[in-house]
Amino acid sequence: MTKQQLKDTEKRLKLKFVNLKHNEIVLREEDFEDGKLTKSGYLSLKQQSDYIPTTETIEIRMPKAYIKDFKETLEYVGTKELTRIKTDIRDANIFALIFFSVGLLLISLPAFIEFLNTKIINDILIIVSWVFMWAAVEKRFFGIPVLKNRRINILHILSSNYLPYKKEQLME
């Protein structure tokens, strides 16, 4: 496909879906089983909500028959995931502290043990200690923000509005 064809396709789709709301998530019939949200439906919901800014309220559209039980199911699944994320954040902080402590211990060992103060052993200890310290920095400063963003996304989903499909809403 050429660039021009891609641009034409994009224009055509933009014109076709003029009234498409960017803060709207549509769940399909297949996302529910026995009136409850399925795991694949929940994953679809999370992926779609990633693109909606937290400053906007999410509107979740679904078949009218599922709205009643949807909130309870969503709150249950969301609470389980929030609990896991909280545990993951705590564990990441603990591991970061342990890794940093091990790195600090390894880098200071040659000062206390003369045998480790030889050039080659000292260099190896410095490299290994920096590996541990970098692992601590990575866990603490790169891993935890990802977990916090997942937490915010789940809370954003839980505070959304649940609405029937537009065609079902018009029939009322």
Side-chain angles (χ1 to χ4, degrees):
M1 238 180 177
T2 66
K3 284 186 177 182
Q4 187 59 40
Q5 288 173 318
L6 292 173
K7 286 181 180 180
D8 291 343
T9 302
E10 189 176 18
K11 279 183 184 176
R12 182 181 54 79
L13 290 173
K14 214 178 232 185
L15 292 172
K16 184 177 181 180
F17 297 104
V18 172
N19 295 326
L20 187 67
K21 296 172 72 177
H22 71 280
N23 68 331
E24 184 175 76
I25 297 173
V26 178
L27 295 176
R28 302 161 297 154
E29 192 78 37
E30 301 85 48
D31 294 329
F32 296 91
E33 187 176 293
D34 299 328
K36 304 264 187 211
L37 184 66
T38 62
K39 187 174 184 175
S40 63
Y42 181 66
L43 291 175
S44 171
L45 177 63
K46 281 185 6 181
Q47 287 174 342
Q48 291 180 63
S49 69
D50 280 341
Y51 298 99
I52 301 172
T54 55
T55 56
E56 296 184 26
T57 303
I58 298 173
E59 291 182 2
I60 302 175
R61 298 270 180 187
M62 68 191 81
K64 189 176 182 179
Y66 301 129
I67 290 179
K68 183 180 177 196
D69 295 329
F70 177 75
K71 185 174 183 173
E72 185 177 323
T73 304
L74 185 61
E75 285 177 346
Y76 173 74
V77 175
T79 302
K80 282 178 56 176
E81 192 165 1
L82 287 171
T83 303
R84 280 189 233 116
I85 290 171
K86 188 175 182 180
T87 302
D88 290 347
I89 289 172
R90 187 197 69 222
D91 291 348
N93 279 324
I94 290 170
F95 283 124
L97 181 63
I98 290 170
F99 289 159
F100 187 78
S101 300
V102 169
L104 205 56
L105 175 72
L106 288 174
I107 206 165
S108 63
L109 275 179
F112 300 112
I113 302 173
E114 189 63 34
F115 166 73
L116 299 175
N117 207 8
T118 59
K119 181 79 172 131
I120 188 78
I121 295 175
N122 190 24
D123 288 348
I124 291 171
L125 281 175
I126 287 173
I127 292 169
V128 172
S129 68
W130 279 109
V131 168
F132 275 99
M133 288 183 178
W134 178 252
V137 167
E138 189 176 348
K139 279 260 186 231
R140 180 66 182 98
F141 295 107
F142 299 122
I144 290 181
V146 170
L147 293 170
K148 286 184 177 180
N149 285 339
R150 280 183 40 210
R151 179 181 169 271
I152 289 169
N153 188 33
I154 293 166
L155 292 171
H156 190 211
I157 292 169
L158 290 172
S159 66
S160 56
N161 295 327
Y162 317 117
L163 305 165
Y165 290 148
K166 289 180 181 176
K167 62 183 175 186
E168 289 180 356
Q169 210 172 20
L170 294 174
M171 295 171 77
E172 292 178 346

Short mmCIF file of all heavy atoms in Angstrom, two decimals, residues 57-93:
data_model
loop_
_atom_site.label_atom_id
_atom_site.label_comp_id
_atom_site.label_asym_id
_atom_site.label_seq_id
_atom_site.Cartn_x
_atom_site.Cartn_y
_atom_site.Cartn_z
N THR A 57 -14.33 11.36 31.73
CA THR A 57 -15.08 10.22 32.22
C THR A 57 -15.27 9.21 31.10
O THR A 57 -15.63 9.57 29.98
CB THR A 57 -16.47 10.67 32.74
OG1 THR A 57 -16.26 11.65 33.76
CG2 THR A 57 -17.24 9.50 33.31
N ILE A 58 -15.03 7.96 31.42
CA ILE A 58 -15.20 6.89 30.43
C ILE A 58 -16.68 6.54 30.35
O ILE A 58 -17.36 6.43 31.37
CB ILE A 58 -14.40 5.63 30.83
CG1 ILE A 58 -12.91 5.94 30.87
CG2 ILE A 58 -14.68 4.48 29.87
CD1 ILE A 58 -12.06 4.81 31.41
N GLU A 59 -17.17 6.36 29.13
CA GLU A 59 -18.53 5.87 28.92
C GLU A 59 -18.43 4.46 28.36
O GLU A 59 -17.90 4.25 27.27
CB GLU A 59 -19.27 6.77 27.93
CG GLU A 59 -19.57 8.14 28.48
CD GLU A 59 -20.35 9.00 27.49
OE1 GLU A 59 -20.69 8.52 26.39
OE2 GLU A 59 -20.60 10.16 27.84
N ILE A 60 -18.92 3.50 29.12
CA ILE A 60 -18.87 2.11 28.69
C ILE A 60 -20.24 1.73 28.15
O ILE A 60 -21.23 1.77 28.87
CB ILE A 60 -18.47 1.17 29.85
CG1 ILE A 60 -17.11 1.58 30.41
CG2 ILE A 60 -18.44 -0.28 29.38
CD1 ILE A 60 -16.68 0.81 31.64
N ARG A 61 -20.28 1.37 26.87
CA ARG A 61 -21.52 0.95 26.22
C ARG A 61 -21.55 -0.57 26.17
O ARG A 61 -20.56 -1.21 25.87
CB ARG A 61 -21.59 1.50 24.79
CG ARG A 61 -21.60 3.00 24.70
CD ARG A 61 -22.99 3.51 24.74
NE ARG A 61 -22.98 4.98 24.65
CZ ARG A 61 -24.05 5.68 24.80
NH1 ARG A 61 -25.21 5.11 25.00
NH2 ARG A 61 -24.00 7.00 24.73
N MET A 62 -22.73 -1.11 26.48
CA MET A 62 -22.90 -2.56 26.49
C MET A 62 -24.37 -2.91 26.29
O MET A 62 -25.22 -2.01 26.37
CB MET A 62 -22.41 -3.13 27.82
CG MET A 62 -23.29 -2.73 29.01
SD MET A 62 -22.60 -3.12 30.58
CE MET A 62 -21.50 -1.75 30.79
N PRO A 63 -24.68 -4.17 26.05
CA PRO A 63 -26.09 -4.54 25.95
C PRO A 63 -26.82 -4.21 27.25
O PRO A 63 -26.30 -4.39 28.35
CB PRO A 63 -26.05 -6.05 25.72
CG PRO A 63 -24.71 -6.30 25.12
CD PRO A 63 -23.79 -5.28 25.74
N LYS A 64 -28.02 -3.69 27.13
CA LYS A 64 -28.80 -3.21 28.27
C LYS A 64 -29.01 -4.30 29.33
O LYS A 64 -29.01 -4.02 30.53
CB LYS A 64 -30.16 -2.71 27.77
CG LYS A 64 -30.99 -2.02 28.80
CD LYS A 64 -32.26 -1.48 28.19
CE LYS A 64 -33.05 -0.74 29.23
NZ LYS A 64 -34.28 -0.19 28.66
N ALA A 65 -29.12 -5.54 28.89
CA ALA A 65 -29.39 -6.64 29.82
C ALA A 65 -28.25 -6.87 30.81
O ALA A 65 -28.47 -7.43 31.88
CB ALA A 65 -29.64 -7.92 29.02
N TYR A 66 -27.05 -6.41 30.48
CA TYR A 66 -25.90 -6.68 31.35
C TYR A 66 -25.53 -5.54 32.29
O TYR A 66 -24.68 -5.70 33.15
CB TYR A 66 -24.68 -7.02 30.50
CG TYR A 66 -24.88 -8.22 29.60
CD1 TYR A 66 -24.59 -8.14 28.25
CD2 TYR A 66 -25.38 -9.41 30.10
CE1 TYR A 66 -24.77 -9.23 27.42
CE2 TYR A 66 -25.56 -10.50 29.27
CZ TYR A 66 -25.26 -10.41 27.94
OH TYR A 66 -25.44 -11.48 27.13
N ILE A 67 -26.17 -4.41 32.13
CA ILE A 67 -25.78 -3.24 32.93
C ILE A 67 -25.95 -3.47 34.43
O ILE A 67 -25.11 -3.08 35.23
CB ILE A 67 -26.56 -1.98 32.48
CG1 ILE A 67 -26.07 -1.55 31.10
CG2 ILE A 67 -26.41 -0.84 33.46
CD1 ILE A 67 -26.78 -0.35 30.54
N LYS A 68 -27.02 -4.12 34.81
CA LYS A 68 -27.33 -4.30 36.23
C LYS A 68 -26.21 -5.04 36.98
O LYS A 68 -25.76 -4.58 38.03
CB LYS A 68 -28.64 -5.08 36.37
CG LYS A 68 -29.10 -5.26 37.79
CD LYS A 68 -30.40 -6.03 37.85
CE LYS A 68 -30.80 -6.24 39.29
NZ LYS A 68 -31.80 -7.28 39.42
N ASP A 69 -25.73 -6.14 36.45
CA ASP A 69 -24.70 -6.92 37.13
C ASP A 69 -23.28 -6.49 36.79
O ASP A 69 -22.32 -6.92 37.42
CB ASP A 69 -24.86 -8.41 36.77
CG ASP A 69 -26.16 -8.99 37.30
OD1 ASP A 69 -26.63 -8.52 38.36
OD2 ASP A 69 -26.71 -9.90 36.64
N PHE A 70 -23.14 -5.63 35.79
CA PHE A 70 -21.82 -5.26 35.31
C PHE A 70 -20.98 -4.57 36.38
O PHE A 70 -19.82 -4.91 36.59
CB PHE A 70 -21.94 -4.36 34.08
CG PHE A 70 -20.62 -3.87 33.57
CD1 PHE A 70 -19.80 -4.72 32.86
CD2 PHE A 70 -20.22 -2.56 33.79
CE1 PHE A 70 -18.57 -4.29 32.38
CE2 PHE A 70 -19.00 -2.12 33.31
CZ PHE A 70 -18.18 -2.97 32.61
N LYS A 71 -21.56 -3.61 37.07
CA LYS A 71 -20.81 -2.83 38.05
C LYS A 71 -20.26 -3.72 39.16
O LYS A 71 -19.10 -3.60 39.55
CB LYS A 71 -21.67 -1.71 38.64
CG LYS A 71 -20.91 -0.80 39.57
CD LYS A 71 -21.72 0.37 40.01
CE LYS A 71 -20.86 1.28 40.88
NZ LYS A 71 -21.50 2.51 41.23
N GLU A 72 -21.07 -4.63 39.64
CA GLU A 72 -20.63 -5.52 40.71
C GLU A 72 -19.47 -6.41 40.24
O GLU A 72 -18.47 -6.57 40.95
CB GLU A 72 -21.79 -6.39 41.19
CG GLU A 72 -21.44 -7.25 42.39
CD GLU A 72 -22.64 -8.05 42.87
OE1 GLU A 72 -23.76 -7.52 42.84
OE2 GLU A 72 -22.42 -9.20 43.27
N THR A 73 -19.60 -6.96 39.05
CA THR A 73 -18.54 -7.81 38.50
C THR A 73 -17.26 -7.00 38.30
O THR A 73 -16.17 -7.45 38.65
CB THR A 73 -18.98 -8.41 37.15
OG1 THR A 73 -20.20 -9.11 37.33
CG2 THR A 73 -17.93 -9.35 36.60
N LEU A 74 -17.39 -5.82 37.74
CA LEU A 74 -16.23 -4.97 37.49
C LEU A 74 -15.55 -4.57 38.79
O LEU A 74 -14.32 -4.58 38.89
CB LEU A 74 -16.66 -3.72 36.71
CG LEU A 74 -15.55 -2.79 36.26
CD1 LEU A 74 -14.59 -3.51 35.31
CD2 LEU A 74 -16.13 -1.57 35.59
N GLU A 75 -16.33 -4.23 39.81
CA GLU A 75 -15.74 -3.85 41.10
C GLU A 75 -15.01 -5.02 41.74
O GLU A 75 -13.95 -4.85 42.33
CB GLU A 75 -16.83 -3.32 42.04
CG GLU A 75 -17.29 -1.92 41.68
CD GLU A 75 -18.41 -1.41 42.55
OE1 GLU A 75 -19.03 -2.22 43.29
OE2 GLU A 75 -18.68 -0.20 42.50
N TYR A 76 -15.55 -6.21 41.60
CA TYR A 76 -14.90 -7.40 42.16
C TYR A 76 -13.55 -7.65 41.48
O TYR A 76 -12.53 -7.80 42.15
CB TYR A 76 -15.81 -8.63 42.00
CG TYR A 76 -15.16 -9.92 42.40
CD1 TYR A 76 -14.94 -10.22 43.74
CD2 TYR A 76 -14.73 -10.83 41.44
CE1 TYR A 76 -14.33 -11.40 44.12
CE2 TYR A 76 -14.12 -12.01 41.80
CZ TYR A 76 -13.92 -12.29 43.14
OH TYR A 76 -13.30 -13.47 43.50
N VAL A 77 -13.55 -7.66 40.15
CA VAL A 77 -12.31 -7.91 39.40
C VAL A 77 -11.31 -6.78 39.63
O VAL A 77 -10.12 -7.02 39.82
CB VAL A 77 -12.63 -8.08 37.89
CG1 VAL A 77 -11.37 -8.21 37.07
CG2 VAL A 77 -13.53 -9.28 37.67
N GLY A 78 -11.79 -5.54 39.64
CA GLY A 78 -10.92 -4.39 39.86
C GLY A 78 -10.29 -4.41 41.25
O GLY A 78 -9.10 -4.11 41.40
N THR A 79 -11.07 -4.79 42.26
CA THR A 79 -10.55 -4.86 43.63
C THR A 79 -9.46 -5.92 43.74
O THR A 79 -8.43 -5.69 44.39
CB THR A 79 -11.69 -5.15 44.62
OG1 THR A 79 -12.68 -4.14 44.50
CG2 THR A 79 -11.17 -5.20 46.04
N LYS A 80 -9.67 -7.05 43.09
CA LYS A 80 -8.64 -8.10 43.11
C LYS A 80 -7.35 -7.60 42.47
O LYS A 80 -6.26 -7.81 43.01
CB LYS A 80 -9.14 -9.34 42.37
CG LYS A 80 -10.10 -10.19 43.17
CD LYS A 80 -10.61 -11.39 42.42
CE LYS A 80 -9.52 -12.27 41.91
NZ LYS A 80 -10.00 -13.49 41.25
N GLU A 81 -7.47 -6.91 41.36
CA GLU A 81 -6.28 -6.41 40.68
C GLU A 81 -5.61 -5.29 41.46
O GLU A 81 -4.38 -5.22 41.54
CB GLU A 81 -6.62 -5.95 39.27
CG GLU A 81 -5.39 -5.70 38.45
CD GLU A 81 -5.65 -5.60 36.97
OE1 GLU A 81 -6.82 -5.70 36.53
OE2 GLU A 81 -4.67 -5.41 36.24
N LEU A 82 -6.39 -4.41 42.07
CA LEU A 82 -5.81 -3.34 42.90
C LEU A 82 -5.03 -3.91 44.08
O LEU A 82 -3.97 -3.40 44.44
CB LEU A 82 -6.91 -2.40 43.40
CG LEU A 82 -7.52 -1.46 42.36
CD1 LEU A 82 -8.73 -0.74 42.93
CD2 LEU A 82 -6.49 -0.48 41.85
N THR A 83 -5.54 -4.98 44.66
CA THR A 83 -4.85 -5.64 45.77
C THR A 83 -3.52 -6.22 45.30
O THR A 83 -2.50 -6.09 45.97
CB THR A 83 -5.74 -6.76 46.36
OG1 THR A 83 -6.98 -6.18 46.77
CG2 THR A 83 -5.07 -7.43 47.54
N ARG A 84 -3.53 -6.85 44.12
CA ARG A 84 -2.29 -7.41 43.57
C ARG A 84 -1.28 -6.31 43.26
O ARG A 84 -0.08 -6.46 43.51
CB ARG A 84 -2.57 -8.22 42.31
CG ARG A 84 -3.08 -9.60 42.62
CD ARG A 84 -3.15 -10.45 41.37
NE ARG A 84 -4.50 -10.99 41.30
CZ ARG A 84 -5.39 -10.73 40.36
NH1 ARG A 84 -5.09 -9.96 39.36
NH2 ARG A 84 -6.58 -11.24 40.41
N ILE A 85 -1.75 -5.20 42.72
CA ILE A 85 -0.85 -4.10 42.39
C ILE A 85 -0.23 -3.53 43.66
O ILE A 85 0.98 -3.22 43.69
CB ILE A 85 -1.59 -3.01 41.58
CG1 ILE A 85 -1.90 -3.53 40.18
CG2 ILE A 85 -0.78 -1.73 41.52
CD1 ILE A 85 -2.81 -2.63 39.38
N LYS A 86 -1.02 -3.38 44.70
CA LYS A 86 -0.51 -2.86 45.97
C LYS A 86 0.59 -3.78 46.51
O LYS A 86 1.63 -3.32 46.97
CB LYS A 86 -1.65 -2.74 46.99
CG LYS A 86 -1.27 -2.05 48.27
CD LYS A 86 -2.48 -1.88 49.16
CE LYS A 86 -2.13 -1.14 50.41
NZ LYS A 86 -3.29 -0.96 51.29
N THR A 87 0.39 -5.09 46.40
CA THR A 87 1.39 -6.06 46.83
C THR A 87 2.64 -5.96 45.96
O THR A 87 3.77 -6.02 46.47
CB THR A 87 0.81 -7.49 46.76
OG1 THR A 87 -0.35 -7.55 47.59
CG2 THR A 87 1.81 -8.53 47.23
N ASP A 88 2.45 -5.81 44.66
CA ASP A 88 3.59 -5.68 43.75
C ASP A 88 4.42 -4.44 44.04
O ASP A 88 5.65 -4.47 43.96
CB ASP A 88 3.12 -5.66 42.29
CG ASP A 88 2.59 -7.00 41.82
OD1 ASP A 88 2.82 -8.02 42.52
OD2 ASP A 88 1.94 -7.05 40.75
N ILE A 89 3.76 -3.34 44.38
CA ILE A 89 4.47 -2.10 44.72
C ILE A 89 5.28 -2.30 45.99
O ILE A 89 6.46 -1.90 46.06
CB ILE A 89 3.49 -0.91 44.86
CG1 ILE A 89 2.94 -0.51 43.49
CG2 ILE A 89 4.16 0.29 45.53
CD1 ILE A 89 1.84 0.52 43.53
N ARG A 90 4.67 -2.91 46.99
CA ARG A 90 5.39 -3.19 48.24
C ARG A 90 6.59 -4.09 47.98
O ARG A 90 7.70 -3.82 48.46
CB ARG A 90 4.45 -3.84 49.25
CG ARG A 90 5.10 -4.00 50.64
CD ARG A 90 4.38 -4.97 51.53
NE ARG A 90 4.57 -6.31 50.98
CZ ARG A 90 3.62 -7.22 50.90
NH1 ARG A 90 2.42 -6.97 51.35
NH2 ARG A 90 3.87 -8.41 50.40
N ASP A 91 6.39 -5.15 47.20
CA ASP A 91 7.49 -6.08 46.90
C ASP A 91 8.60 -5.39 46.12
O ASP A 91 9.78 -5.64 46.37
CB ASP A 91 6.97 -7.28 46.11
CG ASP A 91 6.08 -8.19 46.94
OD1 ASP A 91 6.04 -8.04 48.18
OD2 ASP A 91 5.42 -9.06 46.34
N ALA A 92 8.24 -4.52 45.18
CA ALA A 92 9.25 -3.81 44.40
C ALA A 92 10.09 -2.91 45.30
O ALA A 92 11.32 -2.83 45.14
CB ALA A 92 8.59 -2.99 43.30
N ASN A 93 9.47 -2.25 46.26
CA ASN A 93 10.21 -1.41 47.20
C ASN A 93 11.15 -2.24 48.06
O ASN A 93 12.29 -1.85 48.31
CB ASN A 93 9.24 -0.61 48.08
CG ASN A 93 8.71 0.61 47.40
OD1 ASN A 93 9.41 1.27 46.65
ND2 ASN A 93 7.46 0.93 47.66
#
